Amino acid sequence: MRVVLLGPPGVGKGTQGHRLADEHGWALISTGEILRAAVAQGTPLGLEARKRMDRGLLVPDDVMIGLVWERTLAPDAASGFVLDGFPRTVVQADALDSMLQGRGFHLDRVVAMSVAEEELVRRLSSRRECPVCKRVYNMKSLAPMDGSRCDDHPEAGLVQRADDTESTIRRRFQVYWDETAPLFDYYRNQGRLCEVPGAGPMDEVYRALTVALGC
Ligand code: AMP
């Protein structure tokens, strides 16, 4: 199955997408994660992307489309994938359709997740990540066992993403409403959108997601 998870920063696309992909043997393709890895490695893509990411702005469409083009061709994506963070613009959504059509595939589902913005800001401000396995914690609602270190990698202290500061979070929301939210209507008008509430316990959100996907 080929699935897009759509929704604002912090809504839980990564957390839910991970579980969905793991349980079904699909690849989780998180474009933010791919870019952060490029930044950490100091590649030319990473150096360019970082300037925009740190300011809460989008990386140009052609760069992102090329990146997803490559990544979706990898063997682990052959039986299916969950896209987290792509598409983020109408140009990217059009490119994704053409890309899949050119390979004889189509998107099976687009799932939109939503949560009130103030709750999202709270979630993002207390979000921390393990630098080794990239597991995401929340210091208020999903803290690690010892309070500050990854359960599986206690040698590594958790880190805050550079773009999870309050001013950058606000900018990312602005960009989200301007550039990404129009994708709700884009997919709704094509009859391809299912909507799932992103608030509430994680297991409940996951159940709603699997019902929406019929899997
Ligand atoms: P995320 O982890 O999805 O919140 O993405 C972090 C940052 O990476 C975003 O704020 C953008 O700067 C960049 N990014 C990730 N995915 C995309 C995309 N599809 N298009 C443009 N920029 C992206």
Side-chain angles (χ1 to χ4, degrees), residues 9 30-33 35-36 52-53 56-59 64 84-88 92 127 161 163 172:
S30 159
T31 46
E33 200 51 63
L35 292 173
R36 280 187 291 281
R52 302 189 64 83
M53 292 167 77
L57 302 174
L58 294 185
V59 172
M64 298 312 300
D84 155 23
F86 186 96
R88 254 180 161 97
Q92 293 179 13
R127 179 161 76 174
R161 275 174 46 173
D163 58 353
R172 285 161 63 204

Side-chain angles (χ1 to χ4, degrees), residues 26-107:
W26 303 327
L28 174 73
I29 302 180
S30 159
T31 46
E33 200 51 63
I34 295 172
L35 292 173
R36 280 187 291 281
V39 169
Q41 287 161 13
T43 65
L45 165 68
L47 294 176
E48 259 323 289
R50 181 178 191 168
K51 295 180 201 157
R52 302 189 64 83
M53 292 167 77
D54 283 355
R55 292 161 60 210
L57 302 174
L58 294 185
V59 172
D61 285 332
D62 56 339
V63 174
M64 298 312 300
I65 292 164
L67 199 147
V68 169
W69 174 281
E70 287 288 328
R71 181 64 187 87
T72 48
L73 285 174
D76 69 329
S79 62
F81 53 75
V82 180
L83 278 169
D84 155 23
F86 186 96
R88 254 180 161 97
T89 64
V90 170
V91 171
Q92 293 179 13
D94 281 336
L96 179 62
D97 277 342
S98 324
M99 187 185 303
L100 292 178
Q101 268 163 29
R103 298 174 191 169
F105 299 131
H106 61 273
L107 264 185

Side-chain angles (χ1 to χ4, degrees), residues 9 17 38 54 56-57 88 99 102 104 109 121 125 128 130 136 139 152 157-158 169 174 206 212:
D54 283 355
L57 302 174
R88 254 180 161 97
M99 187 185 303
R109 292 275 195 288
V121 175
S125 320
R128 299 290 182 278
C130 169
V136 174
M139 303 317 270
D152 301 318
L158 300 179
I169 290 170
Q174 192 55 53
Y206 185 71

